[in-house]
């Protein structure tokens, strides 16, 4: 029995559907990678902006606090070694000084240590991203504590 000459016409819809599906799958895979990369870069930038903002606030607060006795005399004690670079910055700030106490000093130093740019990992692993997010979240909490203490 010869083939039906109208079989191609009857299967035309199925053929176009399969062709469109295959082409859409290929285009979606390529576009998905590009959109995913763009979205990832955007989110990474937003996270690092927030960590930089918190680190900058910690530096400003540290510079507004009056220097401790050890910093004035130039002695190196255990607290100045643990400063992670915050207390070693110049004190030439034009902002009004804030009343300092041990708890405020500790919180500002811990805030800076949490978001210090040199210690934040830029790796794209699950552990590194989780650590980064955890540190920024803890730093946001410390920033709120410091804000309430400063007024």
């Amino acid at each position: 029995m010869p083939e039906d000459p109208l079989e191609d016409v009857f299967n035309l819809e199925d053929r176009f559907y399969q062709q469109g599906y295959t082409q859409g799958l290929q285009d979606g895979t390529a576009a998905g990678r590009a959109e995913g990369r763009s979205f990832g870069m955007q989110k990474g930038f937003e996270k690092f902006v927030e960590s930089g903002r918190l680190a900058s606030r910690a530096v400003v607060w540290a510079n507004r606090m009056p220097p401790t006795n050890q910093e004035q005399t130039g002695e190196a004690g255990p607290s100045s070694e643990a400063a992670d670079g915050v207390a070693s910055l110049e004190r030439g700030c034009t902002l009004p000084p804030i009343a300092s106490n041990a708890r405020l000093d500790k919180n500002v130093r811990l805030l800076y240590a949490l978001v210090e740019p040199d210690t934040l990992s830029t790796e794209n692993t699950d552990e590194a991203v989780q650590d980064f997010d955890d540190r920024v979240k803890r730093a946001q909490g410390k920033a709120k504590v410091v804000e309430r203490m400063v007024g």
Side-chain angles (χ1 to χ4, degrees):
M1 207 169 164
E3 286 188 32
D4 188 8
L6 298 177
E7 188 172 341
D8 286 339
V9 175
F10 292 140
N11 294 328
L12 188 63
E13 182 181 354
D14 290 337
R15 191 175 62 201
F16 283 143
Y17 175 81
Q18 287 299 327
Q19 210 175 25
Y21 178 81
T22 305
Q23 185 179 9
L25 189 62
Q26 291 171 350
D27 290 347
T29 302
R33 285 188 183 134
E35 289 176 10
R37 178 164 289 172
S38 174
F39 183 74
M41 294 292 282
Q42 178 185 357
K43 286 299 172 186
F45 178 79
E46 289 172 4
K47 288 180 179 186
F48 270 95
V49 164
E50 177 65 16
S51 69
R53 186 181 68 81
L54 291 169
S56 299
R57 291 176 77 186
V59 169
V60 169
W61 283 325
N63 283 314
R64 288 182 62 194
M65 287 191 283
T68 62
N69 290 338
Q70 291 176 343
E71 291 171 355
Q72 289 174 343
T73 60
E75 297 174 12
S79 63
S80 65
E81 290 174 6
D84 291 329
V86 176
S88 65
L89 298 171
E90 284 189 33
R91 299 275 179 193
C93 187
T94 59
L95 294 172
I98 55 177
S100 180
N101 61 40
R103 185 171 169 237
L104 176 63
D105 186 53
K106 177 185 168 193
N107 281 320
V108 169
R109 291 177 190 274
L110 184 57
L111 169 61
Y112 184 77
L114 286 169
V115 290
E116 185 177 12
D118 294 337
T119 62
L120 288 174
S121 176
T122 58
E123 293 179 19
N124 194 17
T125 62
D126 289 339
E127 296 85 24
V129 171
Q130 185 67 30
D131 180 57
F132 182 90
D133 291 342
D134 182 51
R135 287 175 65 180
V136 169
K137 188 173 216 80
R138 287 176 36 212
Q140 287 171 333
K142 285 293 173 190
K144 287 180 184 177
V145 168
V146 173
E147 283 175 355
R148 288 189 181 112
M149 292 177 77
V150 170

